[in-house]
Amino acid sequence: YFKLYKDRDYTYDEGKALCDNNQGLMLAEPSNPLQLRDVLLNRYGDQEYGILLGGHGDGSNIVLPNRRLALSSDRPLWRPNEPKGVHSNACLGMAVVESDLRDYPNSTYYVNRCQKNRYILCQTKTV
């Protein structure tokens, strides 16, 4: 179960608090991000500024903390020229844009500053 909060823009900390304060939710760490991107596009249309997920930088990688998974920079899910940074102020975003299905069909992840405002995607806790 996923829930998109697009009533306003959120920072990473605000989004994490929003998800954590809704019983049974956490910031999203999708196991199939390309399928999820397609579902979000079909349901909500283009999300021009992207959607913030649960991953953040640890200095070496972007990490999905609840899944205990590091997203290596050579994974094909990264958009071109990404990840741009993996420092502690770097957060994982998902591009949900119709043109990406044509231009980057196998890529959806990008990195942005955690203080940058974005919509938030929560999911049912997996752990």
Side-chain angles (χ1 to χ4, degrees):
Y1 168 78
F2 290 91
K3 180 170 176 67
L4 179 63
Y5 287 92
K6 53 185 270 174
D7 56 318
R8 68 178 187 88
D9 292 337
Y10 297 89
T11 65
Y12 178 86
D13 288 339
E14 291 170 336
K16 183 171 180 349
L18 177 68
C19 294
D20 290 349
N21 290 332
N22 281 285
Q23 187 174 7
L25 295 180
M26 65 182 205
L27 274 171
E29 297 181 9
S31 58
N32 191 334
L34 296 177
Q35 180 181 21
L36 178 60
R37 175 195 62 190
D38 296 349
V39 168
L40 292 171
L41 268 171
N42 288 332
R43 186 171 295 157
Y44 301 105
D46 277 4
Q47 303 304 308
E48 180 180 349
Y49 297 108
I51 296 172
L52 196 58
L53 302 177
H56 59 81
D58 70 356
S60 300
N61 294 290
I62 296 294
V63 177
L64 300 175
N66 289 297
R67 292 181 55 205
R68 296 178 183 90
L69 176 67
L71 300 175
S72 64
S73 60
D74 62 349
R75 285 187 65 152
L77 292 171
W78 291 108
R79 295 185 79 198
N81 303 312
E82 294 284 354
K84 290 180 185 164
V86 294
H87 48 81
S88 62
N89 189 32
C91 285
L92 181 64
M94 173 182 275
V96 181
V97 183
E98 188 74 38
S99 62
D100 280 3
L101 294 177
R102 177 190 68 243
D103 298 338
Y104 313 114
N106 298 313
S107 309
T108 190
Y109 285 156
Y110 66 92
V111 172
N112 213 335
R113 289 187 355 262
C114 295
Q115 289 79 17
K116 189 102 170 170
N117 294 328
R118 295 287 183 250
Y119 294 156
I120 295 295
L121 188 64
C122 300
Q123 76 175 67
T124 306
K125 286 186 179 174
T126 56
V127 289

